[in-house]
Amino acid sequence: MIASLRAGRWAGALTPTLALALALALALALALALALALALGLALGGCSQKQPSAFATGKPLFNFDLESVREVLIVKNDPSGQRWAARASQEGWLGPQQTTPRWLIRQGPEGLTLNDSLADGALIRHLLDNLKTLRKSGPAPEGSDASLGLAPPWAEVRWKTSDQESAITLGSPGLSGGRWARVNQEKLEVSGAALEMLRMISEFERLRHLRLMTWTLHDADRITIRWLEPGRSIPAFQAERSSGDWAHPKTGKAFRQSPGAALEALTHLQIEHFETQEARDPSPAFVSWVVMDWLDRKDRKLTVEIDRELRVRTSDRPGSIFRLHREARRLLSPSAWTN
């Protein structure tokens, strides 16, 4: 009886102390839980929040000096065409008047031997200029590179200036008529004239200098065309500039009909095929049929030789043989130059 009364007194004495301790412990636990919840919320919010875009919608993606670009890499992975990559560098200019940049293909598709490395400098320059038209159409949706057609990409272009390197990777068609793209690790939809140009450059051959002549008609001051046919003596065609037109060099008299249009057509002759056989050892043997000499006012000369198979050798693209389209035969025949 006495023991139970003592126990009751001790219990009554400890009850306020225990209650305070429990209250403090509960308050501390609630504070810790609230702090953890707040920290977790901030962490989750930071993970889900997107970084601000580096590109404004409707504004150009790139701003660079076109004249300072010295190297470009083009990769195409078009499902309906070839898969290839090529690297080209600018090294000087074409023709005496230097109106077209001289681009050389330094690396072509794997396994392809390039006897002629001359690229279409005008096309490359046009592509680089059109890269400056690319604009952001909108953000890209959440997804992997593969889901946006960026792995592998539809196309990729990289270019270098003396102090800058830029790149863009292009994937599947987007929602606003453009294509999904990746620029500086940011995914977005882009639009611009460069997309159509890259679609047009579907094959590696389009990147090569398909025009036979590297001179324009404005480069030439005197032109001679000779035909070498055994057993026949065919008068050579000769012309020189005179008062803004062309005249006979010996007499100075104007032609009955100006040959300007026909001479201009010669500068637009297109290469149909790049021969893999080197020019110094062609098979069958290369026997010249037509020989053209173009001279500028400083007597710099371009010589073009064409055989009856419409294979061509030129002095400014040594070591290479090209084959022209068969439609060129009519323009090259002696009857086209009787005036």
Side-chain angles (χ1 to χ4, degrees):
M1 182 68 177
I2 295 173
S4 61
L5 289 174
R6 289 178 178 176
R9 286 197 300 268
W10 278 108
L14 292 175
T15 296
T17 304
L18 288 174
L20 180 60
L22 289 173
L24 291 174
L26 181 60
L28 181 60
L30 289 173
L32 289 174
L34 182 60
L36 288 173
L38 181 60
L40 182 60
L42 290 175
L44 291 175
C47 292
S48 60
Q49 185 178 5
K50 289 185 177 181
Q51 295 294 325
S53 174
F55 307 102
T57 301
K59 299 295 184 179
L61 301 178
F62 304 107
N63 181 23
F64 58 92
D65 179 15
L66 183 63
E67 305 298 335
S68 66
V69 179
R70 290 294 176 264
E71 184 175 314
V72 62
L73 171 69
I74 302 174
V75 179
K76 282 302 297 288
N77 192 31
D78 198 329
S80 60
Q82 295 180 344
R83 299 183 178 183
W84 55 272
R87 181 175 60 85
S89 59
Q90 184 185 352
E91 302 182 17
W93 300 81
L94 292 177
Q97 296 192 27
Q98 300 185 349
T99 56
T100 304
R102 180 173 180 261
W103 283 83
L104 298 178
I105 299 173
R106 293 307 184 187
Q107 180 182 355
E110 186 176 357
L112 180 64
T113 301
L114 297 177
N115 288 333
D116 181 75
S117 61
L118 190 62
D120 189 336
L123 178 68
I124 293 178
R125 182 183 178 88
H126 193 35
L127 172 62
L128 291 170
D129 195 30
N130 274 281
L131 287 172
K132 300 171 74 172
T133 71
L134 290 176
R135 286 167 164 75
K136 177 181 177 180
S137 301
E142 294 292 339
S144 64
D145 285 355
S147 67
L148 299 175
L150 296 170
W154 171 71
E156 182 177 359
V157 184
R158 295 180 176 273
W159 60 100
K160 292 181 180 180
T161 65
S162 57
D163 58 355
Q164 180 182 358
E165 181 173 357
S166 305
I168 183 169
T169 303
L170 295 161
S172 304
L175 299 177
S176 303
R179 283 187 177 270
W180 304 124
R182 183 174 60 243
V183 182
N184 299 337
Q185 302 305 315
E186 181 178 340
K187 299 175 187 177
L188 62 163
E189 183 180 1
V190 300
S191 59
L195 300 182
E196 178 60 24
M197 279 209 67
L198 287 168
R199 187 196 64 79
M200 183 190 68
I201 310 174
S202 57
E203 299 178 351
F204 168 71
E205 295 296 315
R206 297 295 300 271
L207 198 63
R208 305 183 75 173
H209 198 286
L210 297 177
R211 183 179 291 189
L212 174 65
M213 304 289 288
T214 58
W215 286 29
T216 67
L217 190 56
H218 296 291
D219 290 322
D221 195 60
R222 288 168 288 160
I223 298 176
T224 300
I225 305 176
R226 294 177 287 126
W227 293 269
L228 309 178
E229 295 192 7
R232 292 184 62 189
S233 177
I234 302 175
F237 170 85
Q238 294 180 306
E240 68 177 8
R241 289 194 179 275
S242 175
S243 301
D245 204 346
W246 297 90
H248 294 278
K250 292 182 179 179
T251 64
K253 294 182 178 180
F255 289 91
R256 294 193 304 271
Q257 181 178 352
S258 174
L263 293 172
E264 181 67 30
L266 288 176
T267 68
H268 292 275
L269 287 174
Q270 294 289 305
I271 295 171
E272 181 182 38
H273 180 66
F274 291 82
E275 300 284 326
T276 56
Q277 188 75 19
E278 291 189 357
R280 61 175 176 268
D281 185 27
S283 179
F286 189 102
V287 178
S288 296
W289 168 49
V290 181
V291 178
M292 297 189 291
D293 290 321
W294 294 48
L295 288 90
D296 72 349
R297 62 188 60 187
K298 294 183 179 180
D299 289 335
R300 290 173 291 196
K301 184 167 71 171
L302 169 66
T303 298
V304 179
E305 299 177 75
I306 307 169
D307 73 0
R308 285 195 167 275
E309 300 297 321
L310 297 183
R311 296 181 302 169
V312 188
R313 298 187 296 198
T314 67
S315 59
D316 63 338
R317 300 166 80 169
S320 302
I321 290 183
F322 320 103
R323 191 180 298 274
L324 300 176
H325 291 272
R326 60 184 181 181
E327 292 82 5
R329 189 178 299 277
R330 180 181 301 178
L331 179 62
L332 296 170
S333 65
S335 59
W337 299 92
T338 302
N339 195 342

